[in-house]
Amino acid sequence: MARAIIIIGVLLILIGLFWPLLSQLFSKIGFGKLPGDIVVEGERSKFYFPIVSCLIVSIVLSVIVWFIQK
């Protein structure tokens, strides 16, 4: 259990370090602004919920895990 928590922590640190690079990459290919993503703009605020992008990530990760288990 301790090993899994350490691995998850290291992965989160790596994702945090590479986040600016990843966000630029995803914005260039259009990921995260797909049709179906919810955007609500007010006078001073903006709410963005990428529901379709989350569904795609979930499906891809589910397929990867399914292949790993087989």
Side-chain angles (χ1 to χ4, degrees), residues 31 50-66:
F31 188 76
I51 191 161
V52 175
S53 299
C54 291
L55 288 173
I56 291 173
V57 169
S58 175
I59 291 169
V60 169
L61 289 176
S62 295
V63 169
I64 291 170
V65 169
W66 183 76

Side-chain angles (χ1 to χ4, degrees), residues 1-68:
M1 183 71 171
R3 177 182 252 165
I5 292 173
I6 292 171
I7 291 171
I8 291 170
V10 170
L11 288 175
L12 287 174
I13 290 171
L14 290 174
I15 289 171
L17 289 173
F18 289 107
W19 190 256
L21 178 66
L22 291 173
S23 64
Q24 289 177 357
L25 176 69
F26 287 143
S27 67
K28 286 182 182 178
I29 61 175
F31 188 76
K33 296 189 179 188
L34 298 173
D37 290 345
I38 298 170
V39 179
V40 179
E41 293 186 33
E43 291 180 17
R44 295 189 208 172
S45 63
K46 182 176 182 180
F47 175 74
Y48 177 72
F49 185 68
I51 191 161
V52 175
S53 299
C54 291
L55 288 173
I56 291 173
V57 169
S58 175
I59 291 169
V60 169
L61 289 176
S62 295
V63 169
I64 291 170
V65 169
W66 183 76
F67 277 120
I68 290 172

